[in-house]
Amino acid sequence: MNTFFQLFVSGLATGSIYALAAIGFTLLWQASQTINFAQGEFIMLPAFFVLAGTQFLGLSFPVAMAIAVVLSLLLLGLGFKRIIIDPLLPHGVLPIVIATIALGILMKEGVKQFYTAEALPFPALFSDRTLNVLGAAISVQDIAVLLIALGAVALLQLFLNGTKIGRCMQATAQNPNVAEILGVPVRRMILYTFLINAGLAFLASILISPIYLAKFSNGETLGLIAFIAAIVGGFNQIRGALAGGLLLGVIDNLSAAYVSASYRSAVPLILLIIIILVRPQGLLGKAEGRTV
Amino acid sequence: MSKHTLATLVAGLAILILLPFTQSNYGVFVLCSWLVYSISAMGLNLTLGYAGQVSLAQASFMGIGAYTTALMTMAGVPWPAAMIAAMVLCFVIGFLLGYPALRVQHHFLAFITLAFNALVVLMLRNEEWLTGGTYGIVGIPRPELFGLQTQKPLAFYFFVLALFVLMAVALYAIIRSPWGRAFKALRENPIRANSLGVDIRKTTLLAFAIGSSYGGLAGSLLAQLTQFIDPHSFGLTISLKVLLMVIVGGAGFFFGPILGALLIVLAPEFLRFTEGYYLMIYATLVIVLMVFCPTGLLGLVERGRTALKLRQNPNATTWEAGR
């Protein structure tokens, strides 16, 4: 029972990072029907910005972090939208799928070629002490990660529901044409969405890198799991993506311990297939209008 | 088919027959893999280009085809039976996997097929008693034709070429048949197709299943070509590669995937001097291509042709000038 509780909590912690990635994914989908297959690499990259800042430029950790945030917003937010999504959007979903897959490869190979293929340690933000909770050893890091990720999601929800810009963004997500008529600057709202996605990716990156080490190939599994989380939870709902992320984190951790280790990665995939077949809108999602 | 097209086709076939004689063994190997991937891409083109269903699982069908052929021929089953079994198995699995296509479409289908591909690779890797796990299967025999061994590269090339031509002709017949027209109607406008009496359910499933069986055949040929298979050869990257072939050449154009396969198979050979930067250059090229011609190269040719016709006859609408 104690091991179960331990696995459950650390599952929630990694799950909350999956949730950050999944939420960014759903935001982009709502704002501009963009499926970003490079989402995993978006989370892999910012940690390397920080490492490059501290190792090559000799910056202190906080300064490197600040520069990395700006770089992430510029490259993964603004640059991604302007250079790749804007020209491709009129051509439909498929070219975007292909182009973002290629972008993922480009980022992964870029880090490998210009930085390193080694897994690098990333400075821990929190102590790695463990607390004794109900007889189970729970690490402080797991708790902190969980709290920060949930706090970020809560802030995002407050922003979307409580501020004028947030409401304009929601209006854009629901129906860009009507929003435009009502005087919402739709293009700027879409840009904000891309910036938020980049910000969430940065946060996920610095939360997960101390646990998993910073490695060029980190994006591969992360991206896939984030998509599965978004779809399982309901990919047109932020709370769906949150629930999906947490659920997958827990399932992933538990199945590694209790199901066969070699079929561990099959569990989320099977869950994905079942969900799409039984409830395509996801556990918490609303059904979207379908043509057929 | 006009006389002009026929002449081009005969010339093309003549080149394909003569070309390998000028090549080294390695050159013949590259040509063979181009033909094999072309068959796989032709199948995906039927699913994607004609029936409009996005599939990211073509490599898993190649895998199923390759392992079926390898295991059966090595157990002593004659090769025609093994290869037909591979195609039939892929047809059936494609048919079953196509069922989700009835419930979900577009990006959802892309994710389901993506998950399916990952599951197949996992099984190939984990079921060591059958598939040899990560070590794969070595020493797959090449077929024997009328007492003639295809062990030599050149002989095997002609074997592959013959099957390639056969499958291309079959595909052409399918596209020209009422079924093929139903596929196209389904892609252009599913609701209208339905109102005109096209059975969406049956048509989609068939397109998926036939496309998959093409993948199965390509896999069986790949197993005989390389004589070694492992789960890695049928991963998601390979599915993306085949998808890219269809898109680069031009989805929905008959010769699109064949042209696309040529470019994707040859690209590594031309970019070899770039060494570690190869994948980066490749990815950049793909992004540039998607931005500037998302309909693929043949789509670009078609656009140019339409523009030319419009210039000659400015009063014609785009539709009259040939769409």
Side-chain angles (χ1 to χ4, degrees):
Chain A
M1 195 59 210
N2 291 346
T3 20
F4 177 83
F5 188 60
Q6 228 163 288
L7 288 169
F8 186 80
V9 173
S10 65
L12 279 182
T14 37
S16 64
I17 298 170
Y18 297 156
L20 291 179
I23 288 169
F25 174 57
T26 62
L27 284 175
L28 287 195
W29 170 259
Q30 286 181 310
S32 66
Q33 315 282 294
T34 300
I35 300 181
N36 180 15
F37 271 82
Q39 188 82 343
E41 277 72 28
F42 273 40
I43 297 171
M44 174 274 296
L45 196 60
F48 280 95
F49 289 159
V50 177
L51 287 178
T54 51
Q55 290 186 344
F56 292 145
L57 304 176
L59 301 170
S60 67
F61 188 63
V63 179
M65 288 274 268
I67 291 178
V69 174
V70 177
L71 266 183
S72 303
L73 292 179
L74 278 182
L75 288 177
L76 305 181
L78 185 70
F80 175 55
K81 179 180 183 290
R82 286 279 156 79
I83 298 169
I84 294 187
I85 298 303
D86 281 351
L88 275 172
L89 212 49
H91 304 307
V93 173
L94 193 60
I96 292 187
V97 170
I98 305 259
T100 53
I101 289 170
L103 179 68
I105 296 174
L106 183 64
M107 290 162 74
K108 197 165 66 183
E109 292 297 315
V111 169
K112 189 173 153 198
Q113 282 297 321
F114 293 119
Y115 208 92
T116 177
E118 307 275 307
L120 299 176
F122 192 84
L125 303 173
F126 315 98
S127 84
D128 51 359
R129 269 187 329 119
T130 52
L131 295 176
N132 196 327
V133 183
L134 304 171
I138 306 288
S139 86
V140 176
Q141 178 152 291
D142 281 351
I143 305 266
V145 165
L146 183 60
L147 288 181
I148 291 181
L150 290 184
V153 176
L155 269 179
L156 181 65
Q157 281 287 21
L158 274 179
F159 170 72
L160 287 179
N161 295 324
T163 65
K164 189 162 175 259
I165 295 179
R167 289 209 202 92
C168 287
M169 284 177 66
Q170 285 190 330
T172 306
Q174 274 168 15
N175 192 330
N177 296 332
V178 175
E180 184 95 64
I181 293 168
L182 291 174
V184 173
V186 167
R187 292 178 59 85
R188 203 189 315 154
M189 293 307 133
I190 293 178
L191 177 63
Y192 288 162
T193 315
F194 277 79
L195 292 179
I196 291 177
N197 178 46
L200 291 177
F202 174 80
L203 187 62
S205 187
I206 58 159
L207 288 180
I208 205 162
S209 299
I211 306 175
Y212 283 175
L213 302 178
K215 188 160 194 234
F216 75 98
S217 58
N218 272 358
E220 289 168 13
T221 39
L222 259 177
L224 188 61
I225 296 257
F227 295 135
I228 297 179
I231 290 170
V232 165
F235 81 119
N236 49 14
Q237 293 279 322
I238 287 183
R239 59 197 168 89
L242 179 63
L246 294 177
L247 181 69
L248 269 178
V250 171
I251 286 181
D252 192 37
N253 246 16
L254 292 183
S255 57
Y258 297 114
V259 189
S260 85
S262 50
Y263 276 109
R264 168 193 188 173
S265 41
V267 176
L269 296 169
I270 291 168
L271 186 68
L272 171 74
I273 293 181
I274 293 172
I275 288 287
I276 291 186
L277 286 181
V278 178
R279 202 178 149 79
Q281 71 271 37
L283 291 175
L284 298 178
K286 290 194 201 101
E288 287 191 351
R290 293 225 310 262
T291 38
V292 180
Chain B
M1 211 191 295
S2 71
K3 241 180 206 162
H4 184 70
T5 343
L6 201 65
T8 321
L9 281 181
V10 170
L13 195 60
I15 292 175
L16 285 183
I17 291 173
L18 295 176
L19 193 60
F21 290 105
T22 67
Q23 296 291 320
S24 63
N25 278 353
Y26 182 71
V28 175
F29 175 84
V30 173
L31 281 174
C32 275
S33 37
W34 165 46
L35 291 178
V36 168
Y37 275 106
S38 289
I39 294 175
S40 186
M42 280 196 290
L44 185 61
N45 192 27
L46 186 70
T47 319
L48 176 77
Y50 289 96
Q53 306 288 334
V54 186
S55 163
L56 286 171
Q58 194 68 352
S60 61
F61 291 109
M62 292 176 71
I64 294 169
Y67 276 89
T68 310
T69 310
L71 292 172
M72 285 178 78
T73 47
M74 287 172 85
V77 178
W79 67 265
M83 288 174 73
I84 290 170
M87 283 184 79
V88 170
L89 186 63
C90 284
F91 185 91
V92 172
I93 296 178
F95 201 82
L96 294 178
L97 185 67
Y99 264 102
L102 305 176
R103 299 186 54 94
V104 296
Q105 281 187 327
H106 305 302
H107 49 281
F108 275 135
L109 186 61
F111 283 119
I112 269 206
T113 49
L114 186 146
F116 175 76
N117 203 131
L119 283 176
V120 168
V121 171
L122 263 177
M123 284 189 65
L124 294 180
R125 191 176 295 155
N126 287 337
E127 301 303 319
E128 277 174 34
W129 57 275
L130 185 68
T131 64
T134 42
Y135 298 108
I137 299 176
V138 193
I140 299 152
R142 285 186 177 175
E144 195 187 291
L145 271 175
F146 313 114
L148 213 73
Q149 270 296 337
T150 59
Q151 207 61 37
K152 290 233 173 70
L154 214 56
F156 188 73
Y157 172 81
F158 286 113
F159 173 69
V160 174
L161 181 62
L163 278 176
F164 166 78
V165 172
L166 195 71
M167 295 313 279
V169 171
L171 189 70
Y172 189 78
I174 291 172
I175 291 167
R176 290 285 140 157
S177 75
W179 276 357
R181 292 177 199 282
F183 292 153
K184 269 188 259 183
L186 191 66
R187 175 192 59 181
E188 297 300 332
N189 190 332
I191 297 171
R192 195 183 297 164
N194 199 12
S195 72
L196 288 173
V198 174
D199 185 343
I200 292 184
R201 179 178 285 262
K202 206 175 75 185
T203 316
T204 314
L205 282 178
L206 263 178
F208 218 98
I210 297 174
S212 307
S213 66
Y214 270 69
L217 179 71
S220 57
L221 288 172
L222 194 68
Q224 292 162 352
L225 172 66
T226 55
Q227 303 191 283
F228 163 72
I229 47 174
D230 66 343
H232 186 71
S233 335
F234 307 104
L236 206 53
T237 16
I238 309 298
S239 275
L240 294 173
K241 208 162 121 179
V242 180
L243 181 68
L244 203 57
M245 289 171 185
V246 178
I247 305 276
V248 165
F253 294 94
F254 186 80
F255 291 102
I258 301 170
L259 176 67
L262 182 66
L263 289 176
I264 305 290
V265 169
L266 285 185
E269 307 299 327
F270 284 124
L271 292 174
R272 178 159 292 170
F273 69 94
T274 59
E275 289 173 8
Y277 297 98
Y278 154 63
L279 272 172
M280 291 180 69
I281 296 173
Y282 182 74
T284 314
L285 288 179
V286 169
I287 296 175
V288 170
L289 184 89
M290 282 300 109
V291 171
F292 290 105
C293 62
T295 47
L297 294 174
L298 291 186
L300 204 64
V301 172
E302 179 111 336
R303 229 193 299 166
R305 222 186 253 169
T306 312
L308 203 69
K309 277 186 191 166
L310 274 177
R311 190 178 295 171
Q312 285 161 356
N313 180 8
N315 296 326
T317 60
T318 324
W319 183 77
E320 279 168 330
R323 200 153 73 96

